[in-house]
Amino acid sequence: MAAMTLAAPVALAPARFSKVVRRRSAVTGKVTPASASRGAVQVRAAIAMPNPGTPVTYNETGKWRETFDLAAWASEVRAVEKELKADIDQDDVKHLNKILTWANAFYFGGLAILFATPFLTNAFNAIGGVNPIAAFCMSTAICARWTMVGHHVCHGGYNTAQSENGVVTGRFHRRTFAKGLARRITDWMDWMMPEAWDVEHNHLHHYQLGESADPDLVERNMTPLRTGKLPMIARYGQVVGLALIWKWFYYAPNTMKEMYGRREREAKKNGEDFENPFKTGELPSTVATVAAGAFKGQFAALVETAKCFAPYATFQFAVLPAVGYAVGGASMAGAVLATSILADVMTNIHSFIIIATNHVGDDIYRFETETKPRSDDFYLRAVIGSANFRTGGDVNDFFHGWLNYQIEHHMFPDISMKQYQIAQPKIKAICEKHGVPYVQESVWKRVVQLADVMVGKRNMLVWERGD
């Protein structure tokens, strides 16, 4: 995920040993991140660097790298991956169906509460008929359909159990899931177009994690806010404001930008003419940049954004209120619309908390060089460039959107949710054995890390700097 501000066309995000190394200042007595004052030791690079074998100065936080054996660590990691992928079967699909059933129960249960409440009580009349209970249920379901169902299916986590001899045999195969308007409506309907999300997330973010080409690199995307002249309280205010609207304001338009950017590159490669309508360079596209382009007479991005928004917005904010009008007249239609808006705000906040926090913090690495997919270095970057939350148990994992297994997910993006529960303790143990930093903290502590990086109070670690 990426990052942006409300005042400028920047980005939002999204995206170690358990705790950040900190030291106490002898002068002030304050605890500061190790990145603020690091000792340095001259050693030789133990793992992949731009020029392997050249001297590298390791900072205090990078001392774990001095004796680290990348090949030995990666060998154990690959053995776990092989075991996990061999175990994916119909039990994993049954587990997915259970999670989908929970999501549907929340959504349709929320609708039932929403439409039944006016006939049972007038308790919500004082707030215009807005039903926060129904909104919470609906928002939880919307988040679940994205972060758990759409996310893992579109990564191919169930492909082996949903195909035979190259032929798709089930609903949950990435080749067909949510593809086209009809399947988008029935499989996974959200602000984002699944095909655009596939490019931005599954390809660019996953295989260039923490690099300059990662569209979700928070520290870079938030540069205008981090380096601006706004007082800190105003910067934190922008972070809060962004959390309320980020899916439609930033994420959906930016996935469209990345999809059309890929098409433009492919067209040029083939000697064809194609122009990406989203023109923001390295910075993300947002509703603000789309609107600014329209004011300059550039309407192509606006048209594509509207087409992207149309299915979800039409159902949530037109069809549902219309049903409310048919059931209870104008007052119920207004209550349904207001509740749908509240549900969308809630699901924005929920997803922001569990997504934007995945790859940011002063204990998380970013990278100034590229690496090859599925290389030993790729697996390592997945660990030191990600953070996990509390893991274990379907209920806990459900409300974390299964994004509490972010380390394992970036190592093995194409396995099932059930397999992540099996993988996590094994990968953590291997990392502890080899001294690889493995960050796992409460999601609320990671929210603090996220906000502090977004406003410029904290900085991420940089691999090539010797951190």
Side-chain angles (χ1 to χ4, degrees):
M1 183 198 108
M4 87 214 135
T5 71
L6 301 179
V10 294
L12 156 328
R16 340 176 193 210
F17 219 70
S18 217
K19 302 293 179 183
V20 181
V21 178
R22 288 178 167 82
R23 77 170 47 115
R24 187 171 296 277
S25 167
V27 178
T28 65
K30 294 181 179 179
V31 176
T32 58
S35 58
S37 58
R38 299 186 180 95
V41 157
Q42 188 76 14
V43 294
R44 285 198 172 270
I47 46 183
M49 291 293 289
N51 298 300
T54 59
V56 177
T57 301
Y58 289 158
N59 294 314
E60 193 66 29
T61 51
K63 288 181 71 66
W64 66 271
R65 299 165 58 178
E66 293 179 22
T67 58
F68 174 58
D69 188 337
L70 175 62
W73 174 85
S75 177
E76 294 187 40
V77 163
R78 291 178 188 277
V80 172
E81 179 182 28
K82 184 177 180 180
E83 176 186 327
L84 295 170
K85 290 185 174 180
D87 285 344
I88 297 175
D89 56 21
Q90 292 306 314
D91 285 342
D92 296 80
V93 177
K94 289 179 182 177
H95 180 260
L96 172 62
N97 273 308
K98 181 178 81 169
I99 298 304
L100 179 56
T101 298
W102 287 7
N104 288 337
F106 268 101
Y107 191 79
F108 293 107
L111 288 180
I113 292 170
L114 175 58
F115 284 101
T117 298
F119 297 100
L120 302 175
T121 178
N122 58 4
F124 299 119
N125 287 357
I127 53 175
V130 180
N131 192 319
I133 299 173
F136 169 78
C137 291
M138 294 166 65
S139 74
T140 300
I142 294 167
C143 186
R145 288 173 181 170
W146 173 23
T147 63
M148 287 173 276
V149 182
H151 186 193
H152 296 288
V153 173
C154 289
H155 268 297
Y158 300 88
N159 280 7
T160 56
Q162 296 283 278
S163 62
E164 187 173 347
N165 298 322
V167 178
V168 177
T169 57
R171 174 186 179 188
F172 303 115
H173 195 288
R174 79 178 306 268
R175 198 185 306 164
T176 55
F177 187 85
K179 296 295 177 65
L181 180 59
R183 289 295 298 267
R184 180 182 177 186
I185 292 172
T186 58
D187 288 342
W188 169 34
M189 186 164 59
D190 210 319
W191 287 109
M192 299 78 67
M193 180 183 292
E195 292 88 344
W197 179 82
D198 180 70
V199 173
E200 193 274 353
H201 178 82
N202 292 358
H203 295 274
L204 295 176
H205 171 59
H206 262 267
Y207 292 97
Q208 294 173 300
L209 176 66
E211 301 173 10
S212 61
D214 181 356
D216 298 338
L217 184 56
V218 177
E219 191 175 56
R220 178 208 56 220
N221 289 347
M222 296 304 296
T223 297
L225 184 62
R226 285 169 54 84
T227 60
K229 297 181 179 180
L230 287 176
M232 274 294 173
I233 190 170
R235 298 187 195 187
Y236 282 111
Q238 286 206 18
V239 173
V240 173
L242 183 58
L244 305 177
I245 61 174
W246 77 279
K247 285 174 66 178
W248 59 265
F249 183 81
Y250 151 73
Y251 202 50
N254 200 53
T255 60
M256 297 293 287
K257 171 202 167 184
E258 298 298 348
M259 179 180 71
Y260 283 116
R262 166 175 277 197
R263 292 182 184 177
E264 183 176 49
R265 292 189 295 272
E266 291 174 348
K268 287 183 178 179
K269 185 177 179 180
N270 296 327
E272 301 170 353
D273 290 330
F274 183 88
E275 187 175 356
N276 185 351
F278 296 85
K279 305 178 186 302
T280 53
E282 290 188 353
L283 292 178
S285 290
T286 67
V287 166
T289 64
V290 170
F295 279 114
K296 296 176 182 178
Q298 301 167 356
F299 295 102
L302 179 63
V303 171
E304 295 304 321
T305 302
K307 287 160 61 176
C308 174
F309 286 178
Y312 176 81
T314 300
F315 182 78
Q316 288 292 122
F317 310 122
V319 173
L320 288 181
V323 174
Y325 184 85
V327 172
S331 61
M332 180 172 281
V336 171
L337 176 59
T339 301
S340 293
I341 293 173
L342 178 59
D344 192 69
V345 171
M346 285 182 170
T347 203
N348 269 274
I349 297 171
H350 186 180
S351 57
F352 184 85
I353 289 171
I354 61 177
I355 294 176
T357 46
N358 292 155
H359 307 287
V360 62
D362 62 9
D363 51 354
I364 303 299
Y365 283 83
R366 61 178 177 83
F367 311 95
E368 295 176 346
T369 53
E370 298 179 354
T371 193
K372 294 181 180 180
R374 307 292 185 178
S375 64
D376 291 353
D377 194 37
F378 170 86
Y379 289 101
L380 179 64
R381 290 184 179 203
V383 178
I384 63 177
S386 308
N388 278 8
F389 314 137
R390 182 163 63 92
T391 55
D394 283 355
V395 173
N396 171 71
D397 295 347
F398 180 87
F399 284 101
H400 281 92
W402 239 269
L403 296 166
N404 45 339
Y405 297 96
Q406 197 65 195
I407 289 173
E408 292 72 28
H409 176 58
H410 269 261
M411 297 177 84
F412 323 124
D414 51 352
I415 64 174
S416 71
M417 288 185 284
K418 187 169 175 282
Q419 295 302 319
Y420 287 122
Q421 293 176 323
I422 299 170
Q424 191 273 330
K426 296 181 179 182
I427 294 301
K428 185 173 184 179
I430 294 172
C431 289
E432 289 178 346
K433 173 184 173 182
H434 289 268
V436 176
Y438 184 104
V439 176
Q440 183 173 21
E441 287 188 318
S442 160
V443 68
W444 303 112
K445 291 183 179 180
R446 302 315 301 180
V447 168
V448 174
Q449 285 274 1
L450 166 69
D452 284 352
V453 171
M454 291 177 77
V455 301
K457 188 176 180 181
R458 299 179 192 242
N459 299 313
M460 295 179 67
L461 302 175
V462 180
W463 176 258
E464 292 76 9
R465 193 171 59 196
D467 292 339

